[in-house]
Amino acid sequence: MSQAPSRTVVVLAAGEGKRMKSQTPKVLQPLLGRTLLGHVLAVAQAIHTDRTVVVVGHKADQVGAFLAEAAPAATPVLQAEQNGTGHAVRIALDATPDLTGTVVVLSGDVPLLRPETVEALLATHERAGAAATVLSAEVAEPGGLGRIVRGADGNLERIVEQKDATEEQRRIREINSGIYAFDAALLREALGKLSTDNAQGEEYLTDVFGILAAQGHPVAIEVAEFAYETLGCNDRAELARLRVLMRDRVNEAWMRSGVLILDPATTWIDVTATLEPDATVDQNSQILGTSSVATGAVIGPDTTLVDTTVAAGATVLRTHSIGAEIGPSATVGPYSYLRPGTRLGEKSKIGGFVEAKNAELGAGAKVPHLTYVGDATIGAKANIGAGTIFANYDGVRKSHTTVGEAAFVGSDTVLIAPVEIGPGAYVAAGSAVQKNVPAGNLGITRAPQRNVEGWVARARPGTASAEAAARATDITPEQD
Ligand code: UD1
Ligand code: CA
């Protein structure tokens, strides 16, 4: 019985990323729902590896904490001093002496790489029976990247760093992506032969190719079908460029799966979010985190969803929502703010300038205008009048308010929690309610109204109000 050769992924993530000028290590910078390293780990997971080793160094505690949380199965290996990519891989192999088979090396700052591309690299590597295979790319501006030096026969001779390259080599536009497949045993042996005799005084992983080729081992090249996938990032301007490329790729995939995206250039969907066919996303909208949008729902324009579930047929207009569940055919907005624990039932409504937190609305319940709903349960078909405040906080603790089915709360009411409005009960507009209103009762806390006759003429003589009142009542205003 033969076993498939084992595959190990080594992710290089020890570098500082100085040019980011950030307290956050480069590989932990966010990009559409994952960190840069998170994207690379997702690739490692997708290509069916037996083991993932991550070389950490700069801010190793922070990167290690991220790994423990996001990829607990990965093995962190410490490269205390960053003496080059060859040094990094050597340390990774030293820490895993039992490692055999194929080693895939990925870079922690190359987030656009797709698993399909790594599979293509591995297929080429295996087909060629190669000791080492590099993923290259043809680019217009090779900048500071390593160049692929091919012999007259087109085969790889060596990889040369920009800083060590001749004028002629610098004109080569086929670059080294920093992504490779190696035979573990031959890699281990070649790493032992690296020198630091180069422009940067570092152990170059790239020198492994020249060493193996000179020994007569077959080395291979896989040219990336899409060069942009191999882009790394060194500063925030480059990170912004990667973000745009990722956004376009994500949007294109959702559009091909049947989602209507009206303005892809202003629509940002995290890779962790999901949408169903016939969902619509209007311009200037962000669908972030674990958000999901069901069929027939319309999001935006100008809406941000974070970890929010939107059921079929709901509409969410000019809204900021975090951790809410929006039910089937519910309507939200414009200008609403939904906070964690908000759960909106079928065909319920959250209207303009409404903030909701830890609030459950039953089917068909309506909160149409200018309201704060905090810590509340609102029954089906209840109606909450304009300007109602659910006063949930007494300065010390938060309390709950219950509004029963088909209850009616008049405008400009304060419901002082804890309080209960029974099913079918009414609350008169302008009330400050602190006692329960039983089912079917009317609760009213207003002071009786008193009209002071002729007050305006006496107290505000000569004003437009006094004149208007005079015309309306045929009383001649007093002159002074
Ligand atoms: C390297 C390649 C270059 C290639 C480029 C692609 C070498 C010598 N050169 O350039 O041919 O075009 O990648 O981006 O390999 N890292 C460590 N420990 C270290 C040094 C680096 O973990 O001691 C990590 C970095 O965090 C990064 C990756 O390795 O994730 C690449 O390092 P970086 O310095 O960006 O690449 P270069 O060496 O400039
Ligand atoms: Ca680099």
Side-chain angles (χ1 to χ4, degrees), residues 20-374:
M20 281 286 162
K21 301 193 173 148
S22 175
Q23 292 298 314
T24 305
K26 175 160 84 173
V27 292
L28 297 189
Q29 297 285 340
L31 180 87
L32 270 76
R34 289 195 187 115
T35 61
L36 299 184
L37 181 55
H39 283 288
V40 177
L41 291 168
V43 171
Q45 206 162 37
I47 61 169
H48 187 89
T49 50
D50 300 281
R51 173 147 58 165
T52 300
V53 177
V54 183
V55 180
V56 299
H58 176 72
K59 297 210 172 164
D61 44 350
Q62 260 187 65
V63 180
F66 167 78
L67 283 174
E69 167 106 28
T75 312
V77 169
L78 181 68
Q79 184 196 21
E81 273 178 60
Q82 287 85 60
N83 295 331
T85 49
H87 180 245
V89 174
R90 187 155 64 76
I91 282 181
L93 294 202
D94 286 350
T96 51
D98 56 326
L99 189 156
T100 58
T102 303
V103 176
V104 178
V105 174
L106 303 179
S107 214
D109 62 352
V110 181
L112 299 183
L113 183 71
R114 290 173 315 135
E116 291 86 336
T117 303
V118 181
E119 291 289 6
L121 169 76
L122 282 163
T124 296
H125 181 70
E126 278 154 26
R127 205 179 318 112
T133 305
V134 57
L135 182 70
S136 77
E138 294 277 358
V139 299
E141 286 170 30
L145 295 170
R147 306 297 205 279
I148 302 292
V149 181
R150 292 177 184 253
D153 55 2
N155 289 332
L156 179 64
E157 254 173 21
R158 54 191 291 247
I159 301 172
V160 62
E161 292 308 291
Q162 152 88 13
K163 287 185 177 139
D164 302 286
T166 63
E167 274 306 310
E168 201 192 334
Q169 287 167 334
R170 287 182 186 184
R171 282 195 289 273
I172 298 172
R173 297 206 308 206
E174 183 178 16
I175 58 91
N176 166 26
S177 69
I179 291 150
Y180 322 89
F182 296 100
D183 172 84
L186 293 172
L187 172 63
R188 206 183 282 279
E189 202 185 300
L191 285 171
K193 300 194 171 104
L194 291 182
S195 83
T196 54
D197 183 16
N198 52 53
Q200 301 179 74
E202 290 179 352
E203 290 181 34
Y204 289 170
L205 178 58
T206 44
D207 283 350
V208 163
F209 283 84
I211 291 168
L212 291 172
Q215 288 172 345
H217 292 291
V219 291
I221 304 171
E222 167 71 11
V223 185
E225 191 183 350
F226 306 105
Y228 82 92
E229 274 185 47
T230 68
L231 289 172
C233 68
N234 293 305
D235 58 32
R236 291 180 196 253
E238 287 176 9
L239 182 58
R241 250 170 265 148
L242 294 190
R243 199 172 278 124
V244 167
L245 290 165
M246 183 72 103
R247 176 199 68 196
D248 290 347
R249 187 162 89 189
V250 168
N251 287 346
E252 193 166 323
W254 287 121
M255 288 189 280
R256 290 198 197 288
S257 80
V259 174
L260 175 59
I261 297 180
L262 290 164
D263 186 17
T266 63
T267 298
W268 297 82
I269 303 174
D270 276 354
V271 295
T272 43
T274 55
L275 298 96
E276 287 179 8
D278 280 324
T280 298
V281 185
D282 207 337
Q283 64 185 12
N284 286 320
S285 295
Q286 295 103 39
I287 300 177
L288 309 178
T290 58
S291 293
S292 64
V293 180
T295 187
V298 180
I299 307 305
D302 307 324
T303 289
T304 300
L305 304 180
V306 183
D307 300 338
T308 292
T309 314
V310 182
T315 63
V316 190
L317 172 62
R318 293 187 215 284
T319 287
H320 192 92
S321 173
I322 305 169
E325 289 172 33
I326 298 170
S329 302
T331 65
V332 179
Y335 307 107
S336 313
Y337 179 25
L338 306 185
R339 293 165 51 201
T342 298
R343 300 216 306 277
L344 307 182
E346 184 166 5
K347 292 188 179 145
S348 64
K349 178 186 173 101
I350 290 278
F353 300 99
V354 173
E355 175 177 342
K357 183 215 77 172
N358 190 28
E360 190 174 343
L361 267 65
K366 293 194 167 99
V367 186
H369 332 272
L370 301 158
T371 290
Y372 174 61
V373 192

Side-chain angles (χ1 to χ4, degrees), residues 437-477:
V437 181
N441 282 208
L442 168 70
I444 179 163
T445 71
R446 291 198 298 249
Q449 181 172 334
R450 190 165 70 93
N451 294 338
V452 181
E453 213 183 318
W455 184 89
V456 174
R458 288 194 303 280
R460 297 290 183 269
T463 63
S465 304
E467 279 161 19
R471 281 195 297 277
T473 55
D474 276 338
I475 295 169
T476 310

